[in-house]
Amino acid sequence: MVQKAEKIWFDGKLVPWDEANVHVLTHTLHYGCGVFEGIRAYECVGGRSAVFRLREHMKRLMDSAHILGLTIPFGLEEMIQAVVDTLTANKMKAGYIRPLVFVGAGAMGVNPGSNPIRLAIAAWPWGAYLGEEALQKGIRVKTSSFCRMHVNTMMTKAKACGNYVNSVLAKTEAVADGYDEALMLDTQGFVSEASGENIFIVKNDVIKTTPLTSVLAGITRDSIMTMARELGYEVQEQLFTRDELYVADEAFFSGTAAEITPIREVDHRTIGEGHAGPITQLLQKEFFRIATGGNPDYAAWLHEYSI
Ligand code: PPE
């Protein structure tokens, strides 16, 4: 269950959590044509708090809406302020933030027409996405029977609500089969991404991730590539196959919710030593140090606020 907060920002106003409701004929509820974001705020050294890469997330929200042809009735700066207002109204020093742009009620039929475009921003406390133990020990993964969408089937660069039907199918199958997460291949058969995470592998100290074809342009993915290069590692964006993953020295998932989650097993093959490898651990440590304000070189990634 989501841990309830006090207020939700809804179409320009902070409303009580229980009153942030919609009509059953809300267009997006029927056809999935909406876009969303997942953002984290961390409590920082020195008692302040910061939203991690807030501007980049809100820009991606605007891009996602643009791809779907939705015009958000709020500007970038207004939406950035709305996220901060949501956190402060709920006195949240840390948490997960979920902005959602959706097509409201009005006309029915697949054409959204002139139905209102609405924006809600909720925030709640959310610990480790795949469990605290997963961050340390790593998770067990299964290659999904579901492929990630072809680039002309769904718009994979958009963080679109409807895209997540594919994620839900893959994730529920993986969990029902006793795994922690699903790895999806693209329609050509190359490794794509997980239900809510990008993937990285490490081989002979070289870090590799999938290029931005069928995958979401993860902001954590981008942060990791920047950080890793700064730490002196070679990072490649290249297609790879599931058997290249099987023989990797290390592998991990990245995402706002999942942060950096090591992968210890794929399709019953142990990855590396079967626990978080040294490069994964180093990147995890550096990621949390940056997100909590411990590395001044990355101050530009943090949008500070105080409660
Ligand atoms: N791929 C997918 C499909 C995806 O959903 C996410 C985020 C990523 C990659 C990583 O993107 P980024 O967060 O910018 O590094 N998934 C969000 C939703 C998870 C959920 O279960 O809900 C998230 O991590 O917030």
Side-chain angles (χ1 to χ4, degrees):
M1 280 282 272
V2 170
Q3 202 182 316
K4 202 164 138 175
E6 262 180 62
K7 305 268 189 196
I8 289 180
W9 191 99
F10 202 5
D11 291 337
K13 290 197 291 282
L14 285 157
V15 302
W17 178 280
D18 289 325
E19 289 170 26
N21 303 315
V22 297
H23 195 272
V24 290
L25 293 188
T26 294
H27 195 274
T28 299
L29 206 50
H30 295 248
Y31 306 113
C33 189
V35 297
F36 70 96
E37 268 306 318
I39 314 171
R40 271 192 195 270
Y42 291 91
E43 201 169 342
C44 295
V45 286
R48 281 176 66 80
S49 290
V51 185
F52 187 69
R53 305 197 71 178
L54 174 56
R55 183 166 293 272
E56 289 88 335
H57 278 283
M58 297 319 268
K59 275 191 181 156
R60 188 172 67 183
L61 184 71
M62 294 187 94
D63 286 348
S64 296
H66 180 72
I67 292 170
L68 266 54
L70 305 174
T71 308
I72 307 176
F74 299 96
L76 179 64
E77 302 305 326
E78 250 178 315
M79 293 198 293
I80 287 172
Q81 189 57 45
V83 168
V84 174
D85 290 348
T86 309
L87 289 164
T88 50
N90 289 300
K91 300 180 192 65
M92 286 179 64
K93 291 190 159 183
Y96 184 83
I97 305 131
R98 169 58 56 84
L100 171 69
V101 174
F102 64 98
V103 183
M108 286 303 278
V110 292
N111 183 356
S114 57
N115 288 17
I117 307 300
R118 311 188 63 183
L119 170 64
I121 304 171
W124 61 87
W126 204 356
Y129 186 56
L130 294 151
E132 203 53 57
E133 213 184 79
L135 282 183
Q136 274 141 39
K137 295 198 175 152
I139 58 168
R140 296 178 59 245
V141 174
K142 174 189 174 4
T143 303
S144 184
S145 72
F146 299 98
C147 283
R148 202 67 180 142
M149 291 81 68
H150 184 278
V151 291
N152 288 322
T153 298
M154 290 294 237
M155 299 296 100
T156 53
K157 299 279 173 310
K159 201 167 166 63
C161 301
N163 288 359
Y164 285 80
V165 174
N166 178 251
S167 294
V168 171
L169 288 169
K171 178 82 179 198
T172 50
E173 178 191 57
V175 171
D177 289 346
Y179 299 85
D180 302 301
E181 184 54 283
L183 172 72
M184 279 180 283
L185 307 179
D186 65 19
T187 48
Q188 284 184 284
F190 292 100
V191 169
S192 177
E193 60 183 337
S195 67
E197 304 96 342
N198 293 116
I199 185 167
F200 284 81
I201 57 174
V202 181
K203 184 82 177 178
N204 300 327
D205 293 340
V206 174
I207 301 170
K208 195 186 275 193
T209 190
T210 52
L212 294 179
T213 44
S214 66
V215 306
L216 184 74
I219 289 165
T220 320
R221 173 188 178 279
D222 177 76
S223 308
I224 291 165
M225 290 197 300
T226 305
M227 253 164 49
R229 284 181 178 136
E230 206 57 47
L231 289 166
Y233 289 98
E234 181 184 342
V235 184
Q236 301 174 343
E237 289 176 85
Q238 263 175 31
L239 287 173
F240 57 91
T241 51
R242 66 199 277 183
D243 50 6
E244 191 171 335
L245 165 61
Y246 291 165
V247 296
D249 299 330
E250 303 180 32
F252 59 88
F253 284 137
S254 72
T256 299
E259 296 162 318
I260 295 178
T261 300
I263 299 170
R264 69 181 152 93
E265 191 190 301
V266 180
D267 302 338
H268 301 286
R269 276 88 172 165
T270 301
I271 304 300
E273 301 289 317
H275 53 77
I279 295 178
T280 307
Q281 284 184 45
L282 176 72
L283 292 171
Q284 243 185 357
K285 210 170 122 206
E286 187 60 7
F287 176 78
F288 285 121
R289 189 163 80 96
I290 291 170
T292 55
N295 185 344
D297 293 348
Y298 290 90
W301 283 358
L302 306 184
H303 189 109
E304 284 199 8
Y305 66 98
S306 44
I307 297 296

